[in-house]
């Protein structure tokens, strides 16, 4: 009997799972589902944890819920602690498996993980599945992606490109192999984080409605549509605090507990039933931005992570003292400091404020955008390598912004979006 390993990565769900479907069709007779928790002591080149407590706690809940769902289908998740290269080969040897199926993630860190498994002698088949639109359905090859988002969006809409229908959940799984190997090593210390209980949080991930599970994700989407919030999305999306000013899909999209295609399918059904407007269109617009940053990785890969990015600008200088003040929310700029305190305390930050604080680090403190991107990676519950890197490059003028970067005046942003100072008072900087 042959065994295939299915390695869950940023696809912690059973609905709309092309990679899992491919593993089930592979001809194997046994399936070994695996997830690797990152080592708690893994740090960035900048000296702080690559995965901070907020994201670790959110992902932990997602993985535990996935394990329960898999167990109900007769094949519980094997949880390992450490890098895939240090854990999966030994598991494969014990189970007699030589083939691994997983999601394809076109970012350097994640590509290196796959390369390390192949170097260890495993056959790894990756399946692209995180984008809304299928790369093969686009009007161009990945290397010919338009250099600005607007041209990309207009071409997609002109050609009428639509996402594939999401796949249903598998009714059954292959049975697990009978072997004696490494057992599950689910971490227990990361199940709770103070940020998830802070009453100021705009994404209170410790509450059941905001847990990382696929069930919570699907329920959130259902209630968001039932309350007709898509119709008001464009008008409220620049809010700074609260649960409903934005869709809050991003944390579940980032872990893969929610599929972008599932979101779009249900949004289209909503528009059929209740009508479309600028607000519901803007959700499609934002999902296209998410796709654009994914396809940009297919086009440029590691070049997006170099200091100069896609520009001919020199590598930025690292301002260690300014960066520390920025991380700790003590730059002296009240709106920036309030936002950075919210990020560190809750693991979440509005899109408007993400742009403001990124601009401040780059254009006011003259810091290294790569350090800022790494801090967001560490802190955000909804960290996604594609969108994080793409947005930081955009603000820095080293990506695809036709205007060569964006500087946000924090005083004007405060006047426009926090005129009464309530947000700054909430975080003790007014």
């Amino acid at each position: 009997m042959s065994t295939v390993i299915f390695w869950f990565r940023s696809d912690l769900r059973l609905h709309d799972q092309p990679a899992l479907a491919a593993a089930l069709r592979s001809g194997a007779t046994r399936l070994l589902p695996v997830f690797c928790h990152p080592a708690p002591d893994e740090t960035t080149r900048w000296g702080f944890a690559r995965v901070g407590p907020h994201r670790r706690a959110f992902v932990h809940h997602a993985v535990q819920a996935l394990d329960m769902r898999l167990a109900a289908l007769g094949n519980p998740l094997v949880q390992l602690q450490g890098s895939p290269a240090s854990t999966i080969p030994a598991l494969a040897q014990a189970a007699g498996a030589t083939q691994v199926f997983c999601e394809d993630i076109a970012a350097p860190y994640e590509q290196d993980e796959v390369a390390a498994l192949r170097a260890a002698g495993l056959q790894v088949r990756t399946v692209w599945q995180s984008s809304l639109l299928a790369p093969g359905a686009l009007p161009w090859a990945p290397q010919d992606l338009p250099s600005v988002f607007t041209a990309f969006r207009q071409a997609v809409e002109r050609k009428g490109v639509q996402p594939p229908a999401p796949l249903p959940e598998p009714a059954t799984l292959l049975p697990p192999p009978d072997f004696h190997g490494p057992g599950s090593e689910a971490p227990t210390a990361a199940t709770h984080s103070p940020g998830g209980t802070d009453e100021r949080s705009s994404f209170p991930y410790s509450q059941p409605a905001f847990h990382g599970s696929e069930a919570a994700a699907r329920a959130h989407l259902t209630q968001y549509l039932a309350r007709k919030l898509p119709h008001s999305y464009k008008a409220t999306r620049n809010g700074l605090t609260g649960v409903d000013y934005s869709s809050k899909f991003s944390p579940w999209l980032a872990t893969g507990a929610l599929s972008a295609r599932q979101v779009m399918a249900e949004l289209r059904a909503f528009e059929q039933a209740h009508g479309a407007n600028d607000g519901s269109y803007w959700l499609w617009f934002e999902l296209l931005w998410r796709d654009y940053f994914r396809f940009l990785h297919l086009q440029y890969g590691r070049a997006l992570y170099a200091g100069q990015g896609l520009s001919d600008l020199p590598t930025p200088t690292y301002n260690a003292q300014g960066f520390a003040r920025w991380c700790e929310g003590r730059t002296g700029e009240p709106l920036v400091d309030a936002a950075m305190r919210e990020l560190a305390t809750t693991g979440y930050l509005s899109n408007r404020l993400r742009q403001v604080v990124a601009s401040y680090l780059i254009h006011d403190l003259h810091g290294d955008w790569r350090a800022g991107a790494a801090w967001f990676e560490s802190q955000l519950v909804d960290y996604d390598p594609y969108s994080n890197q793409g947005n930081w490059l955009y603000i820095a003028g080293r990506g695809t912004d036709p205007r060569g970067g964006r500087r946000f005046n924090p005083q004007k942003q405060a006047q426009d979006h926090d005129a009464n100072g309530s947000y700054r008072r909430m975080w003790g900087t007014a």
Side-chain angles (χ1 to χ4, degrees):
M1 291 184 291
S2 60
T3 295
V4 64
I5 290 175
F6 186 78
W7 171 28
F8 283 96
R9 306 180 80 191
S10 297
D11 55 344
L12 303 178
R13 65 179 185 272
L14 293 183
H15 75 277
D16 195 29
Q17 254 286 11
L20 179 58
L24 296 176
R25 294 194 308 266
S26 66
T29 57
R30 302 285 179 176
L31 178 75
L32 187 57
V34 174
F35 180 81
C36 297
H37 294 272
D41 57 352
E42 184 180 2
T43 59
T44 69
R45 59 179 287 193
W46 314 99
F48 49 80
R50 191 181 72 82
V51 183
H54 302 299
R55 184 151 67 97
R56 197 174 289 274
F58 187 68
V59 170
H60 178 86
H61 282 134
V63 172
Q64 296 311 105
L66 178 63
D67 180 27
M68 292 179 64
R69 297 211 62 206
L70 291 168
L73 291 172
N75 198 336
L77 187 66
V78 174
Q79 299 184 50
L80 306 173
Q81 180 115 33
S83 72
S86 67
T87 56
I88 291 180
L91 180 69
Q93 184 175 17
T98 59
Q99 193 171 25
V100 177
F101 280 73
C102 65
E103 172 190 21
D104 189 10
I105 304 176
Y109 183 94
E110 290 79 4
Q111 290 286 301
D112 288 346
E113 289 182 320
V114 170
L117 291 185
R118 288 175 173 153
L122 292 171
Q123 303 170 33
V124 184
R125 180 178 169 189
T126 60
V127 178
W128 181 266
Q129 63 179 19
S130 73
S131 58
L132 179 66
L133 304 176
L138 298 175
W140 47 77
Q143 63 269 23
D144 299 321
L145 187 75
S147 59
V148 294
F149 169 73
T150 299
F152 164 81
R153 176 184 59 80
Q154 289 173 342
V156 164
E157 293 178 341
R158 188 167 56 247
K159 296 286 187 180
V161 182
Q162 291 296 322
L167 297 180
E169 299 176 6
T172 60
L173 295 177
L174 298 173
D178 182 15
F179 77 106
H180 298 288
S184 282
E185 301 175 33
T188 56
T191 54
H192 300 289
S193 175
T197 59
D198 194 294
E199 62 183 11
R200 298 168 292 181
S201 176
S202 291
F203 191 83
Y205 58 81
S206 68
Q207 295 181 13
F210 295 92
H211 276 182
S213 69
E214 180 179 6
R218 298 287 296 272
H220 178 81
L221 174 59
T222 297
Q223 67 84 26
Y224 186 80
L225 298 175
R227 296 164 63 206
K228 298 184 173 60
L229 291 178
H231 283 160
S232 58
Y233 172 73
K234 188 177 181 183
T236 64
R237 66 192 173 90
N238 280 319
L240 304 188
T241 188
V243 167
D244 289 333
Y245 68 82
S246 64
S247 72
K248 301 301 190 297
F249 299 157
S250 62
W252 292 294
L253 286 171
T255 62
L258 183 62
S259 154
R261 294 171 185 173
Q262 188 70 37
V263 171
M264 204 64 232
E266 296 192 32
L267 179 63
R268 292 296 189 222
F270 167 86
E271 290 178 323
Q272 286 288 321
H274 304 291
N277 71 353
D278 283 352
S280 60
Y281 170 80
W282 217 254
L283 287 166
W284 155 260
F285 182 94
E286 299 286 11
L287 287 171
L288 284 185
W289 257 119
R290 179 178 179 272
D291 264 18
Y292 183 68
F293 287 142
R294 278 161 164 69
F295 300 142
L296 203 65
H297 274 68
L298 290 177
Q299 185 180 29
Y300 290 109
R302 292 178 190 274
L304 300 173
Y305 293 74
Q308 69 272 22
L310 303 181
S311 75
D312 55 5
L313 296 171
T315 297
T317 302
Y318 177 52
N319 174 1
Q321 291 184 336
F323 180 67
R325 294 199 312 273
W326 179 80
C327 291
E328 295 165 10
R330 50 182 186 87
T331 67
E333 184 58 58
L335 185 64
V336 171
D337 289 347
M340 296 307 294
R341 293 176 190 183
E342 179 188 7
L343 175 61
T345 302
T346 72
Y348 193 83
L349 198 60
S350 71
N351 182 62
R352 171 61 51 175
L353 289 175
R354 294 183 199 203
Q355 296 178 84
V356 171
V357 300
S359 166
Y360 193 81
L361 176 67
I362 294 165
H363 301 297
D364 292 79
L365 295 177
H366 306 291
D368 192 322
W369 67 272
R370 295 170 298 174
W375 184 249
F376 271 26
E377 176 181 2
S378 176
Q379 297 299 307
L380 286 169
V381 292
D382 63 351
Y383 166 74
D384 165 70
Y386 303 110
S387 295
N388 191 58
Q389 205 72 10
N391 279 307
W392 274 94
L393 284 163
Y394 196 84
I395 298 293
R398 297 167 185 265
T400 59
D401 181 9
R403 288 193 270 172
R406 303 292 169 107
R407 182 185 182 275
F408 289 78
N409 182 317
Q411 292 87 24
K412 183 179 186 303
Q413 293 296 313
Q415 181 180 352
D416 290 349
H417 300 287
D418 188 36
N420 65 6
S422 60
Y423 178 79
R424 283 162 288 172
R425 283 194 299 274
M426 178 183 292
W427 294 100
T429 66

